[in-house]
Each structure stands twice: as structure tokens, then as C-alpha cells.
PDB file of all heavy atoms in Angstrom:
ATOM      1  N   ASP A  22     143.334 122.427  75.974  1.00 94.00           N
ATOM      2  CA  ASP A  22     144.170 123.419  76.659  1.00 94.00           C
ATOM      3  C   ASP A  22     144.919 122.843  77.863  1.00 94.00           C
ATOM      4  O   ASP A  22     145.551 123.584  78.608  1.00 94.00           O
ATOM      5  CB  ASP A  22     143.316 124.594  77.131  1.00 94.00           C
ATOM      6  CG  ASP A  22     142.778 125.409  75.968  1.00 94.00           C
ATOM      7  OD1 ASP A  22     143.417 125.420  74.911  1.00 94.00           O
ATOM      8  OD2 ASP A  22     141.699 126.014  76.111  1.00 94.00           O
ATOM      9  N   TYR A  23     144.853 121.524  78.047  1.00 96.00           N
ATOM     10  CA  TYR A  23     145.442 120.894  79.232  1.00 96.00           C
ATOM     11  C   TYR A  23     146.376 119.761  78.832  1.00 96.00           C
ATOM     12  O   TYR A  23     146.203 119.137  77.773  1.00 96.00           O
ATOM     13  CB  TYR A  23     144.344 120.305  80.138  1.00 96.00           C
ATOM     14  CG  TYR A  23     143.376 121.318  80.672  1.00 96.00           C
ATOM     15  CD1 TYR A  23     142.256 121.698  79.933  1.00 96.00           C
ATOM     16  CD2 TYR A  23     143.565 121.900  81.922  1.00 96.00           C
ATOM     17  CE1 TYR A  23     141.352 122.628  80.414  1.00 96.00           C
ATOM     18  CE2 TYR A  23     142.663 122.828  82.418  1.00 96.00           C
ATOM     19  CZ  TYR A  23     141.567 123.193  81.661  1.00 96.00           C
ATOM     20  OH  TYR A  23     140.671 124.105  82.141  1.00 96.00           O
ATOM     21  N   ASP A  24     147.340 119.461  79.694  1.00 96.00           N
ATOM     22  CA  ASP A  24     148.102 118.222  79.563  1.00 96.00           C
ATOM     23  C   ASP A  24     147.200 117.097  80.058  1.00 96.00           C
ATOM     24  O   ASP A  24     146.822 117.055  81.236  1.00 96.00           O
ATOM     25  CB  ASP A  24     149.387 118.292  80.393  1.00 96.00           C
ATOM     26  CG  ASP A  24     150.393 119.272  79.808  1.00 96.00           C
ATOM     27  OD1 ASP A  24     150.350 119.509  78.587  1.00 96.00           O
ATOM     28  OD2 ASP A  24     151.201 119.820  80.581  1.00 96.00           O
ATOM     29  N   THR A  25     146.841 116.197  79.160  1.00 97.00           N
ATOM     30  CA  THR A  25     145.858 115.159  79.446  1.00 97.00           C
ATOM     31  C   THR A  25     146.474 113.780  79.274  1.00 97.00           C
ATOM     32  O   THR A  25     147.142 113.509  78.271  1.00 97.00           O
ATOM     33  CB  THR A  25     144.637 115.297  78.514  1.00 97.00           C
ATOM     34  OG1 THR A  25     144.051 116.592  78.689  1.00 97.00           O
ATOM     35  CG2 THR A  25     143.603 114.230  78.806  1.00 97.00           C
ATOM     36  N   THR A  26     146.247 112.908  80.249  1.00 97.00           N
ATOM     37  CA  THR A  26     146.706 111.525  80.190  1.00 97.00           C
ATOM     38  C   THR A  26     145.494 110.617  80.072  1.00 97.00           C
ATOM     39  O   THR A  26     144.518 110.774  80.812  1.00 97.00           O
ATOM     40  CB  THR A  26     147.507 111.148  81.442  1.00 97.00           C
ATOM     41  OG1 THR A  26     148.590 112.076  81.611  1.00 97.00           O
ATOM     42  CG2 THR A  26     148.054 109.743  81.334  1.00 97.00           C
ATOM     43  N   VAL A  27     145.544 109.662  79.139  1.00 98.00           N
ATOM     44  CA  VAL A  27     144.447 108.727  78.925  1.00 98.00           C
ATOM     45  C   VAL A  27     144.917 107.314  79.273  1.00 98.00           C
ATOM     46  O   VAL A  27     145.921 106.838  78.742  1.00 98.00           O
ATOM     47  CB  VAL A  27     143.945 108.780  77.464  1.00 98.00           C
ATOM     48  CG1 VAL A  27     142.834 107.752  77.245  1.00 98.00           C
ATOM     49  CG2 VAL A  27     143.454 110.183  77.116  1.00 98.00           C
ATOM     50  N   HIS A  28     144.189 106.669  80.181  1.00 98.00           N
ATOM     51  CA  HIS A  28     144.482 105.283  80.569  1.00 98.00           C
ATOM     52  C   HIS A  28     143.345 104.383  80.077  1.00 98.00           C
ATOM     53  O   HIS A  28     142.170 104.717  80.264  1.00 98.00           O
ATOM     54  CB  HIS A  28     144.585 105.142  82.090  1.00 98.00           C
ATOM     55  CG  HIS A  28     145.575 106.061  82.736  1.00 98.00           C
ATOM     56  ND1 HIS A  28     146.916 105.782  82.808  1.00 98.00           N
ATOM     57  CD2 HIS A  28     145.405 107.263  83.351  1.00 98.00           C
ATOM     58  CE1 HIS A  28     147.542 106.762  83.447  1.00 98.00           C
ATOM     59  NE2 HIS A  28     146.642 107.680  83.784  1.00 98.00           N
ATOM     60  N   PHE A  29     143.680 103.251  79.505  1.00 98.00           N
ATOM     61  CA  PHE A  29     142.674 102.265  79.108  1.00 98.00           C
ATOM     62  C   PHE A  29     142.690 101.125  80.126  1.00 98.00           C
ATOM     63  O   PHE A  29     143.745 100.534  80.391  1.00 98.00           O
ATOM     64  CB  PHE A  29     142.945 101.754  77.695  1.00 98.00           C
ATOM     65  CG  PHE A  29     142.742 102.811  76.649  1.00 98.00           C
ATOM     66  CD1 PHE A  29     143.836 103.497  76.112  1.00 98.00           C
ATOM     67  CD2 PHE A  29     141.469 103.150  76.236  1.00 98.00           C
ATOM     68  CE1 PHE A  29     143.653 104.489  75.167  1.00 98.00           C
ATOM     69  CE2 PHE A  29     141.279 104.148  75.284  1.00 98.00           C
ATOM     70  CZ  PHE A  29     142.365 104.819  74.753  1.00 98.00           C
ATOM     71  N   ILE A  30     141.534 100.842  80.704  1.00 97.00           N
ATOM     72  CA  ILE A  30     141.443  99.868  81.781  1.00 97.00           C
ATOM     73  C   ILE A  30     140.256  98.930  81.534  1.00 97.00           C
ATOM     74  O   ILE A  30     139.435  99.166  80.654  1.00 97.00           O
ATOM     75  CB  ILE A  30     141.279 100.554  83.160  1.00 97.00           C
ATOM     76  CG1 ILE A  30     140.005 101.398  83.181  1.00 97.00           C
ATOM     77  CG2 ILE A  30     142.495 101.407  83.490  1.00 97.00           C
ATOM     78  CD1 ILE A  30     139.707 102.024  84.552  1.00 97.00           C
ATOM     79  N   THR A  31     140.177  97.870  82.346  1.00 97.00           N
ATOM     80  CA  THR A  31     139.082  96.905  82.225  1.00 97.00           C
ATOM     81  C   THR A  31     137.857  97.393  83.009  1.00 97.00           C
ATOM     82  O   THR A  31     137.952  98.273  83.877  1.00 97.00           O
ATOM     83  CB  THR A  31     139.500  95.542  82.773  1.00 97.00           C
ATOM     84  OG1 THR A  31     139.738  95.673  84.194  1.00 97.00           O
ATOM     85  CG2 THR A  31     140.773  95.039  82.094  1.00 97.00           C
ATOM     86  N   GLU A  32     136.718  96.784  82.696  1.00 96.00           N
ATOM     87  CA  GLU A  32     135.496  97.105  83.440  1.00 96.00           C
ATOM     88  C   GLU A  32     135.654  96.791  84.926  1.00 96.00           C
ATOM     89  O   GLU A  32     135.159  97.529  85.785  1.00 96.00           O
ATOM     90  CB  GLU A  32     134.314  96.327  82.863  1.00 96.00           C
ATOM     91  CG  GLU A  32     133.815  96.857  81.539  1.00 96.00           C
ATOM     92  CD  GLU A  32     132.521  96.190  81.108  1.00 96.00           C
ATOM     93  OE1 GLU A  32     131.444  96.633  81.557  1.00 96.00           O
ATOM     94  OE2 GLU A  32     132.597  95.226  80.322  1.00 96.00           O
ATOM     95  N   GLN A  33     136.347  95.706  85.233  1.00 97.00           N
ATOM     96  CA  GLN A  33     136.520  95.329  86.626  1.00 97.00           C
ATOM     97  C   GLN A  33     137.373  96.354  87.369  1.00 97.00           C
ATOM     98  O   GLN A  33     137.054  96.752  88.504  1.00 97.00           O
ATOM     99  CB  GLN A  33     137.167  93.943  86.729  1.00 97.00           C
ATOM    100  CG  GLN A  33     137.213  93.394  88.158  1.00 97.00           C
ATOM    101  CD  GLN A  33     135.834  93.246  88.761  1.00 97.00           C
ATOM    102  OE1 GLN A  33     134.951  92.616  88.175  1.00 97.00           O
ATOM    103  NE2 GLN A  33     135.624  93.832  89.936  1.00 97.00           N
ATOM    104  N   GLU A  34     138.435  96.812  86.730  1.00 96.00           N
ATOM    105  CA  GLU A  34     139.278  97.828  87.362  1.00 96.00           C
ATOM    106  C   GLU A  34     138.504  99.125  87.557  1.00 96.00           C
ATOM    107  O   GLU A  34     138.641  99.804  88.578  1.00 96.00           O
ATOM    108  CB  GLU A  34     140.524  98.080  86.506  1.00 96.00           C
ATOM    109  CG  GLU A  34     141.527  99.036  87.154  1.00 96.00           C
ATOM    110  CD  GLU A  34     142.771  99.245  86.315  1.00 96.00           C
ATOM    111  OE1 GLU A  34     142.943  98.518  85.312  1.00 96.00           O
ATOM    112  OE2 GLU A  34     143.566 100.159  86.653  1.00 96.00           O
ATOM    113  N   PHE A  35     137.685  99.458  86.582  1.00 97.00           N
ATOM    114  CA  PHE A  35     136.867 100.668  86.696  1.00 97.00           C
ATOM    115  C   PHE A  35     135.924 100.552  87.896  1.00 97.00           C
ATOM    116  O   PHE A  35     135.792 101.479  88.704  1.00 97.00           O
ATOM    117  CB  PHE A  35     136.061 100.878  85.412  1.00 97.00           C
ATOM    118  CG  PHE A  35     135.368 102.212  85.335  1.00 97.00           C
ATOM    119  CD1 PHE A  35     135.992 103.294  84.745  1.00 97.00           C
ATOM    120  CD2 PHE A  35     134.095 102.390  85.857  1.00 97.00           C
ATOM    121  CE1 PHE A  35     135.366 104.534  84.671  1.00 97.00           C
ATOM    122  CE2 PHE A  35     133.464 103.614  85.796  1.00 97.00           C
ATOM    123  CZ  PHE A  35     134.096 104.693  85.199  1.00 97.00           C
ATOM    124  N   ALA A  36     135.271  99.403  88.020  1.00 95.00           N
ATOM    125  CA  ALA A  36     134.330  99.187  89.128  1.00 95.00           C
ATOM    126  C   ALA A  36     135.048  99.206  90.474  1.00 95.00           C
ATOM    127  O   ALA A  36     134.528  99.748  91.459  1.00 95.00           O
ATOM    128  CB  ALA A  36     133.598  97.863  88.941  1.00 95.00           C
ATOM    129  N   ASN A  37     136.262  98.645  90.521  1.00 96.00           N
ATOM    130  CA  ASN A  37     136.995  98.551  91.787  1.00 96.00           C
ATOM    131  C   ASN A  37     137.559  99.893  92.246  1.00 96.00           C
ATOM    132  O   ASN A  37     137.578 100.191  93.446  1.00 96.00           O
ATOM    133  CB  ASN A  37     138.146  97.553  91.654  1.00 96.00           C
ATOM    134  CG  ASN A  37     137.672  96.121  91.525  1.00 96.00           C
ATOM    135  OD1 ASN A  37     136.517  95.811  91.819  1.00 96.00           O
ATOM    136  ND2 ASN A  37     138.550  95.245  91.069  1.00 96.00           N
ATOM    137  N   ASN A  38     138.012 100.717  91.284  1.00 95.00           N
ATOM    138  CA  ASN A  38     138.807 101.890  91.650  1.00 95.00           C
ATOM    139  C   ASN A  38     138.207 103.242  91.297  1.00 95.00           C
ATOM    140  O   ASN A  38     138.754 104.271  91.715  1.00 95.00           O
ATOM    141  CB  ASN A  38     140.188 101.788  90.969  1.00 95.00           C
ATOM    142  CG  ASN A  38     140.943 100.549  91.379  1.00 95.00           C
ATOM    143  OD1 ASN A  38     140.808 100.077  92.510  1.00 95.00           O
ATOM    144  ND2 ASN A  38     141.726 100.010  90.466  1.00 95.00           N
ATOM    145  N   HIS A  39     137.103 103.269  90.561  1.00 95.00           N
ATOM    146  CA  HIS A  39     136.620 104.555  90.071  1.00 95.00           C
ATOM    147  C   HIS A  39     135.112 104.731  90.278  1.00 95.00           C
ATOM    148  O   HIS A  39     134.431 105.348  89.459  1.00 95.00           O
ATOM    149  CB  HIS A  39     136.995 104.723  88.587  1.00 95.00           C
ATOM    150  CG  HIS A  39     138.462 104.647  88.344  1.00 95.00           C
ATOM    151  ND1 HIS A  39     139.326 105.682  88.636  1.00 95.00           N
ATOM    152  CD2 HIS A  39     139.233 103.623  87.887  1.00 95.00           C
ATOM    153  CE1 HIS A  39     140.561 105.316  88.342  1.00 95.00           C
ATOM    154  NE2 HIS A  39     140.531 104.070  87.887  1.00 95.00           N
ATOM    155  N   GLY A  40     134.625 104.239  91.395  1.00 90.00           N
ATOM    156  CA  GLY A  40     133.191 104.346  91.668  1.00 90.00           C
ATOM    157  C   GLY A  40     132.810 105.547  92.510  1.00 90.00           C
ATOM    158  O   GLY A  40     131.627 105.843  92.683  1.00 90.00           O
ATOM    159  N   GLY A  41     133.785 106.265  93.050  1.00 91.00           N
ATOM    160  CA  GLY A  41     133.489 107.350  93.978  1.00 91.00           C
ATOM    161  C   GLY A  41     133.193 108.666  93.290  1.00 91.00           C
ATOM    162  O   GLY A  41     133.305 108.816  92.069  1.00 91.00           O
ATOM    163  N   MET A  42     132.811 109.678  94.117  1.00 90.00           N
ATOM    164  CA  MET A  42     132.469 111.011  93.614  1.00 90.00           C
ATOM    165  C   MET A  42     133.254 112.071  94.377  1.00 90.00           C
ATOM    166  O   MET A  42     132.744 113.130  94.713  1.00 90.00           O
ATOM    167  CB  MET A  42     130.966 111.251  93.779  1.00 90.00           C
ATOM    168  CG  MET A  42     130.090 110.303  92.991  1.00 90.00           C
ATOM    169  SD  MET A  42     130.143 110.627  91.215  1.00 90.00           S
ATOM    170  CE  MET A  42     129.156 112.101  91.134  1.00 90.00           C
ATOM    171  N   ALA A  43     134.516 111.768  94.676  1.00 94.00           N
ATOM    172  CA  ALA A  43     135.345 112.705  95.440  1.00 94.00           C
ATOM    173  C   ALA A  43     135.664 113.945  94.607  1.00 94.00           C
ATOM    174  O   ALA A  43     135.734 113.893  93.377  1.00 94.00           O
ATOM    175  CB  ALA A  43     136.635 112.024  95.877  1.00 94.00           C
ATOM    176  N   HIS A  44     135.842 115.068  95.299  1.00 96.00           N
ATOM    177  CA  HIS A  44     136.256 116.301  94.620  1.00 96.00           C
ATOM    178  C   HIS A  44     136.785 117.261  95.682  1.00 96.00           C
ATOM    179  O   HIS A  44     136.986 116.899  96.837  1.00 96.00           O
ATOM    180  CB  HIS A  44     135.108 116.929  93.830  1.00 96.00           C
ATOM    181  CG  HIS A  44     135.561 117.581  92.556  1.00 96.00           C
ATOM    182  ND1 HIS A  44     136.764 118.240  92.436  1.00 96.00           N
ATOM    183  CD2 HIS A  44     134.970 117.682  91.346  1.00 96.00           C
ATOM    184  CE1 HIS A  44     136.890 118.707  91.202  1.00 96.00           C
ATOM    185  NE2 HIS A  44     135.819 118.382  90.514  1.00 96.00           N
ATOM    186  N   GLY A  45     137.017 118.497  95.276  1.00 96.00           N
ATOM    187  CA  GLY A  45     137.536 119.500  96.190  1.00 96.00           C
ATOM    188  C   GLY A  45     138.283 120.563  95.426  1.00 96.00           C
ATOM    189  O   GLY A  45     138.155 120.687  94.201  1.00 96.00           O
ATOM    190  N   GLY A  46     139.063 121.351  96.156  1.00 97.00           N
ATOM    191  CA  GLY A  46     139.831 122.386  95.494  1.00 97.00           C
ATOM    192  C   GLY A  46     140.328 123.439  96.454  1.00 97.00           C
ATOM    193  O   GLY A  46     140.215 123.287  97.691  1.00 97.00           O
ATOM    194  N   PHE A  47     140.874 124.512  95.890  1.00 97.00           N
ATOM    195  CA  PHE A  47     141.514 125.563  96.669  1.00 97.00           C
ATOM    196  C   PHE A  47     141.143 126.925  96.100  1.00 97.00           C
ATOM    197  O   PHE A  47     141.081 127.099  94.881  1.00 97.00           O
ATOM    198  CB  PHE A  47     143.043 125.434  96.612  1.00 97.00           C
ATOM    199  CG  PHE A  47     143.581 124.082  96.985  1.00 97.00           C
ATOM    200  CD1 PHE A  47     143.611 123.045  96.056  1.00 97.00           C
ATOM    201  CD2 PHE A  47     144.075 123.849  98.265  1.00 97.00           C
ATOM    202  CE1 PHE A  47     144.120 121.809  96.392  1.00 97.00           C
ATOM    203  CE2 PHE A  47     144.582 122.615  98.607  1.00 97.00           C
ATOM    204  CZ  PHE A  47     144.606 121.593  97.679  1.00 97.00           C
ATOM    205  N   VAL A  48     140.932 127.893  96.993  1.00 98.00           N
ATOM    206  CA  VAL A  48     140.808 129.296  96.595  1.00 98.00           C
ATOM    207  C   VAL A  48     141.885 130.082  97.334  1.00 98.00           C
ATOM    208  O   VAL A  48     142.039 129.938  98.556  1.00 98.00           O
ATOM    209  CB  VAL A  48     139.423 129.870  96.946  1.00 98.00           C
ATOM    210  CG1 VAL A  48     139.381 131.374  96.674  1.00 98.00           C
ATOM    211  CG2 VAL A  48     138.348 129.180  96.129  1.00 98.00           C
ATOM    212  N   PHE A  49     142.623 130.898  96.594  1.00 98.00           N
ATOM    213  CA  PHE A  49     143.680 131.729  97.174  1.00 98.00           C
ATOM    214  C   PHE A  49     143.419 133.197  96.846  1.00 98.00           C
ATOM    215  O   PHE A  49     142.902 133.535  95.776  1.00 98.00           O
ATOM    216  CB  PHE A  49     145.047 131.376  96.587  1.00 98.00           C
ATOM    217  CG  PHE A  49     145.541 129.994  96.885  1.00 98.00           C
ATOM    218  CD1 PHE A  49     145.231 128.946  96.038  1.00 98.00           C
ATOM    219  CD2 PHE A  49     146.339 129.745  97.998  1.00 98.00           C
ATOM    220  CE1 PHE A  49     145.706 127.663  96.285  1.00 98.00           C
ATOM    221  CE2 PHE A  49     146.820 128.468  98.256  1.00 98.00           C
ATOM    222  CZ  PHE A  49     146.501 127.433  97.398  1.00 98.00           C
ATOM    223  N   ARG A  50     143.811 134.068  97.766  1.00 98.00           N
ATOM    224  CA  ARG A  50     143.990 135.483  97.478  1.00 98.00           C
ATOM    225  C   ARG A  50     145.376 135.845  97.974  1.00 98.00           C
ATOM    226  O   ARG A  50     145.670 135.719  99.172  1.00 98.00           O
ATOM    227  CB  ARG A  50     142.933 136.335  98.183  1.00 98.00           C
ATOM    228  CG  ARG A  50     143.088 137.852  97.971  1.00 98.00           C
ATOM    229  CD  ARG A  50     142.660 138.279  96.601  1.00 98.00           C
ATOM    230  NE  ARG A  50     142.648 139.741  96.460  1.00 98.00           N
ATOM    231  CZ  ARG A  50     142.419 140.372  95.314  1.00 98.00           C
ATOM    232  NH1 ARG A  50     142.156 139.678  94.218  1.00 98.00           N
ATOM    233  NH2 ARG A  50     142.441 141.690  95.244  1.00 98.00           N
ATOM    234  N   SER A  51     146.238 136.218  97.062  1.00 97.00           N
ATOM    235  CA  SER A  51     147.600 136.598  97.409  1.00 97.00           C
ATOM    236  C   SER A  51     147.703 138.109  97.246  1.00 97.00           C
ATOM    237  O   SER A  51     147.468 138.637  96.158  1.00 97.00           O
ATOM    238  CB  SER A  51     148.581 135.888  96.471  1.00 97.00           C
ATOM    239  OG  SER A  51     149.907 136.273  96.736  1.00 97.00           O
ATOM    240  N   GLY A  52     148.006 138.808  98.343  1.00 96.00           N
ATOM    241  CA  GLY A  52     148.021 140.262  98.275  1.00 96.00           C
ATOM    242  C   GLY A  52     149.039 140.876  99.204  1.00 96.00           C
ATOM    243  O   GLY A  52     149.810 140.181  99.869  1.00 96.00           O
ATOM    244  N   SER A  53     149.035 142.203  99.259  1.00 96.00           N
ATOM    245  CA  SER A  53     150.026 142.910 100.066  1.00 96.00           C
ATOM    246  C   SER A  53     149.396 144.107 100.755  1.00 96.00           C
ATOM    247  O   SER A  53     148.383 144.652 100.315  1.00 96.00           O
ATOM    248  CB  SER A  53     151.198 143.372  99.192  1.00 96.00           C
ATOM    249  OG  SER A  53     150.740 144.212  98.149  1.00 96.00           O
ATOM    250  N   THR A  54     150.014 144.506 101.865  1.00 97.00           N
ATOM    251  CA  THR A  54     149.644 145.723 102.587  1.00 97.00           C
ATOM    252  C   THR A  54     150.931 146.506 102.886  1.00 97.00           C
ATOM    253  O   THR A  54     152.033 146.022 102.642  1.00 97.00           O
ATOM    254  CB  THR A  54     148.911 145.405 103.905  1.00 97.00           C
ATOM    255  OG1 THR A  54     149.782 144.628 104.750  1.00 97.00           O
ATOM    256  CG2 THR A  54     147.625 144.637 103.662  1.00 97.00           C
ATOM    257  N   GLY A  55     150.744 147.690 103.466  1.00 98.00           N
ATOM    258  CA  GLY A  55     151.905 148.543 103.768  1.00 98.00           C
ATOM    259  C   GLY A  55     151.991 149.670 102.764  1.00 98.00           C
ATOM    260  O   GLY A  55     151.511 149.568 101.627  1.00 98.00           O
TER     261      GLY A  55
END
């Protein structure tokens, strides 16, 4: 259900650039009064 991109990389590149556990996000409530 998503636009997905697949990259093929070496083990060394994986170790150098993809070892972290970063995350996050956003919650919104958009509303009106009056």
C-alpha cells in the first residue's frame, strides 16, 4: 500500500550507515471553532 524504494548495498555500507535506532513522528489535530 506504499511507494517503496529498495536499495542494495554492501555489508560495510550497512554497518557504517544503518546501525542506529532513530525514530519519531507527528500527531496533529486540525479543527475549528466559532
Side-chain angles (χ1 to χ4, degrees):
D22 292 333
Y23 299 86
D24 290 334
T25 301
T26 305
V27 178
H28 305 277
F29 292 100
I30 60 175
T31 65
E32 286 189 84
Q33 188 60 53
E34 185 178 351
F35 190 92
N37 291 344
N38 300 328
H39 301 284
M42 297 288 286
H44 215 324
F47 307 82
V48 173
F49 296 89
R50 178 75 173 174
S51 177
S53 58
T54 60

